[in-house]
Amino acid sequence: MRYRTIGQNPDHRREVSVLSLGAMLFGTATDEPTAFAILDRYVEAGGTFVDTSDNYAYWFTGGQGGESEQLLGRWRRSRGVGNEITVATKLGARPLAPGTGYLDNAEGLSAKVIRESAERSRERLGTDKLDLLYAHIEDPSVAPEETVEGFAQLVAEGTVGLLGVSNHWTWKVERARTVAAAAGLPGYEVLQYQHSYLRPRTDRPGDMSPDGSQGVAGGELLSYVRDDPGLTLVAYSPLLGGRYVREDKPFGPEFDHAGTPARQAALRAVAQEAGATVNQVVLAWLIGGEIPVIPLVGASSVAQLDESLAAVDLELTADQRTRLDGAY
């Protein structure tokens, strides 16, 4: 396994594996014995960066979420896991009532919600401190000053370490970080966005914003991370839910443009040369790129996880990267 540092403050920064394991479906679509086996294998391989959220996976149960955090708590206790494993969680997108969702009835990012939701996450995870806590989605009803101060208070109290943000407009991330810096408070250091090798169109409706771009690491967000070495980008859905390799899961209309087949062809060619799978090439491209990215992968079996783990040791040549980057 390979590792990198996230965070700048020596009191909170963490050394984490360059491949993160997503626990979104653990405890719902992925049963407990399978989830435990995947987690055990990940740690055995040197993995140290597990991701969840307080709203996972409410859509499977018709409830409010929390199943993934609860399962991770049981796993941590049963294995005696301590702070050697960095567990990241999120708040702000948990539905306030069963039968509702994050788009129409989210908990939001008020100071009250931040405190209460973080406390519930700590209880479910069975820990006194959240290693990394994200603002999951935007809350336009709350001033950034309140959100920044709410997160900073938990850091000051020692119940949260690093702060992160997901699915926000880039300018709003910068605004929140500016507010924090001006007040001498900790700000967001880890950014979690959807990012992969294939590039989606930005003129299609999406879940997070009308044009579909708010949760995607587009050019502006990538430039923002490139220009600030203190930021880390974590890429969720890097394998696009299996669409690179599964004929039964075709790409949607967001990838219906001329660049998609060209980049698919480049991927297949490089995979054949490297003796690797297409998925492994995608992950290696992300990990070793100009902007180092930590891919956040899901797994429904140990075998699926093993395929992703092998990508950590896949070194693409300069020529292969040039061809992948230049495919349009």
Side-chain angles (χ1 to χ4, degrees):
M1 183 57 70
R2 292 151 57 192
Y3 302 89
R4 64 173 297 190
T5 302
I6 58 174
Q8 299 294 297
N9 188 316
D11 294 331
H12 302 297
R13 66 189 179 200
R14 306 278 296 188
E15 291 289 322
V16 299
S17 50
V18 296
L19 188 74
S20 179
L21 176 63
M24 177 191 288
L25 301 181
F26 290 178
T28 50
T30 303
D31 62 43
E32 187 157 312
T34 303
F36 275 33
I38 293 168
L39 287 159
D40 290 344
R41 172 62 185 133
Y42 177 68
V43 172
E44 178 188 22
T48 63
F49 195 12
V50 180
D51 182 271
T52 186
S53 173
D54 71 349
N55 75 338
Y56 294 161
Y58 75 86
W59 52 92
F60 271 92
T61 63
Q64 295 170 277
E67 290 84 359
S68 176
E69 288 183 328
Q70 290 169 345
L71 182 141
L72 286 173
R74 293 192 294 272
W75 173 74
R76 292 180 76 257
R77 288 188 293 272
S78 70
R79 304 307 194 252
V81 170
N83 65 4
E84 70 274 15
I85 304 298
T86 297
V87 177
T89 193
K90 313 174 193 74
L91 58 77
R94 191 171 195 246
L96 290 174
T100 60
Y102 67 86
L103 289 179
D104 60 343
N105 197 29
E107 61 188 349
L109 294 173
S110 68
K112 180 175 184 293
V113 164
I114 290 170
R115 175 168 294 280
E116 293 176 353
S117 294
E119 181 178 355
R120 287 192 292 266
S121 287
R122 291 197 305 273
E123 291 174 355
R124 286 189 288 264
L125 289 166
T127 183
D128 294 329
K129 181 178 180 179
L130 301 175
D131 302 317
L132 168 58
L133 182 61
Y134 291 97
H136 202 163
I137 60 171
E138 289 186 4
D139 182 356
S141 70
V142 174
E145 289 80 4
E146 179 178 349
T147 298
V148 165
E149 291 169 5
F151 278 119
Q153 185 62 42
L154 299 185
V155 175
E157 293 170 4
T159 57
V160 171
L162 291 170
L163 300 176
V165 62
S166 182
N167 303 314
H168 284 50
W169 294 113
T170 305
W171 70 268
K172 288 195 174 182
V173 175
E174 173 59 17
R175 182 179 177 188
R177 295 180 72 231
T178 298
V179 167
L185 300 174
Y188 301 135
E189 295 186 84
V190 185
L191 281 57
Q192 186 178 129
Y193 286 74
Q194 198 282 312
H195 184 45
S196 186
Y197 176 66
L198 291 187
R199 293 177 286 204
R201 293 167 53 176
T202 59
D203 60 345
R204 299 283 306 179
D207 290 339
M208 302 296 173
S209 63
D211 70 355
S213 65
Q214 192 171 348
V216 177
E220 184 178 55
L221 192 281
L222 293 174
S223 295
Y224 185 59
V225 175
R226 181 189 295 112
D227 292 343
D228 190 334
L231 294 176
T232 299
L233 177 60
V234 175
Y236 70 78
S237 299
L239 302 179
L240 301 177
R243 287 173 174 79
Y244 281 106
V245 296
R246 291 181 54 174
E247 293 183 1
D248 63 323
K249 299 185 75 173
F251 293 105
E254 68 271 27
F255 293 100
D256 184 15
H257 59 84
T260 295
R263 286 175 87 82
Q264 284 180 293
L267 271 179
R268 289 191 293 266
V270 169
Q272 184 173 12
E273 289 176 13
T277 67
V278 165
N279 282 343
Q280 289 167 345
V281 172
V282 171
L283 296 176
W285 178 82
L286 289 167
I287 292 170
E290 177 190 1
I291 304 173
V293 174
I294 298 178
L296 170 58
V297 297
S300 58
S301 69
V302 171
Q304 195 176 71
L305 173 63
D306 280 339
E307 180 185 2
S308 294
L309 287 169
V312 174
D313 296 322
L314 176 60
E315 293 286 349
L316 300 176
T317 67
D319 175 69
Q320 288 168 341
R321 284 198 169 275
T322 297
R323 283 185 284 143
L324 288 169
D325 293 342
Y328 290 97

